[in-house]
Amino acid sequence: MGMSRRTTAVAVFARAPLPGRAKSRLIPRLGEWGAARLQATLTRRALRTAAEARCGPIELHGSPRARQAFLARCARDFGASLHEQRGRDLGERMLRAFRAGLRRHRAIVLIGTDAPALRAGDLALAARSLAAGYDAALAPAEDGGYALIALRRVSPRLFEGVAWGSERVLAQTRQRLRVLGWRWRELRTVWDVDRPADYARLEAARLLARR
């Protein structure tokens, strides 16, 4: 415990690529199996990015159940510890992950799988920011949310009552950070893959083809 408590870990939140349940907004364009395959590809890319960042141990937080076969295989392939997301909404699941993670590590950098434009350098910069004394770091997303949140302390205020999935997520998080009196750093803004137009952008950027 003493050794790990001095490290920064990267937590990757991932939904299992189950047909009909993954990337539902893209099913009209890709079909259920195509959307599931995209989810699997994005998950592996996020894990590669986490590994290349070399911040510290990787934690894979799976949903709806962590030991689904694909997620278990990913954990083995990338040397990640496997954890189950628990909570009624995204905010509660992240709060639980940070609380548990910060008992094991000095700081946690948390990402999802929907922002393939995130680079290893973004994760490393977030980790360095926390080590330099910032309480939090955020990578804003173009849709008004965020693609990365890194913390060295945690408060329920950051996650409770947030309008998850709306364009107000980042603004609400900034307001709560101000109320808490925390210092935070914002990284470059990235885009995520959620709707058909995002998929067209992903194809044009060829981000997955280079991995």
Side-chain angles (χ1 to χ4, degrees):
M1 174 64 75
M3 180 63 72
S4 66
R5 188 63 181 81
R6 292 195 293 271
T7 63
T8 296
V10 178
V12 179
F13 263 42
R15 177 174 290 277
L18 303 176
R21 300 180 66 179
K23 288 290 173 203
S24 57
R25 293 180 182 177
L26 289 173
I27 288 176
R29 173 163 183 166
L30 301 178
E32 292 185 354
W33 285 93
R37 284 192 294 270
L38 176 62
Q39 175 64 21
T41 301
L42 290 170
T43 297
R44 293 188 68 86
R45 179 186 172 89
L47 286 163
R48 281 193 293 269
T49 300
E52 291 169 2
R54 300 183 182 278
C55 295
I58 301 172
E59 299 184 353
L60 177 57
H61 293 254
S63 172
R65 52 189 179 83
R67 299 207 172 273
Q68 187 267 345
F70 171 80
L71 297 177
R73 185 165 63 251
C74 283
R76 291 194 301 269
D77 290 348
F78 290 93
S81 58
L82 195 56
H83 308 264
E84 189 160 326
Q85 297 180 33
R86 297 186 183 276
R88 293 165 294 181
D89 61 13
L90 177 60
E92 186 174 337
R93 295 195 295 271
M94 288 198 292
L95 175 61
R96 286 173 177 261
F98 273 113
R99 279 178 167 167
L102 290 172
R103 287 195 292 267
R104 298 186 291 266
H105 306 285
R106 175 185 61 195
I108 302 289
V109 178
L110 188 150
I111 64 172
T113 61
D114 291 346
L118 272 178
R119 298 191 291 257
D122 299 316
L123 278 63
L125 179 56
R128 290 198 302 272
S129 299
L130 300 186
Y134 286 94
D135 299 298
L138 297 166
E142 291 181 359
D143 64 4
Y146 52 78
L148 173 155
I149 180 169
L151 299 175
R152 65 183 182 93
R153 62 168 79 178
V154 67
S155 169
R157 290 187 183 183
L158 284 179
F159 303 107
E160 293 176 350
V162 173
W164 301 109
S166 79
E167 72 284 354
R168 304 196 306 276
V169 171
L170 181 62
Q172 289 178 328
T173 303
R174 286 170 175 154
Q175 192 274 336
R176 288 154 193 240
L177 286 166
R178 285 192 289 268
V179 169
L180 287 167
W182 290 6
R183 294 178 63 229
W184 79 94
R185 181 173 188 174
E186 293 196 11
L187 313 181
R188 67 189 184 95
T189 300
V190 297
W191 51 278
D192 56 20
V193 179
D194 193 29
R195 297 174 174 83
D198 303 323
Y199 183 71
R201 186 174 182 179
L202 178 65
E203 286 187 309
R206 298 182 60 81
L207 287 171
L208 302 183
R210 292 199 293 266
R211 303 293 289 192

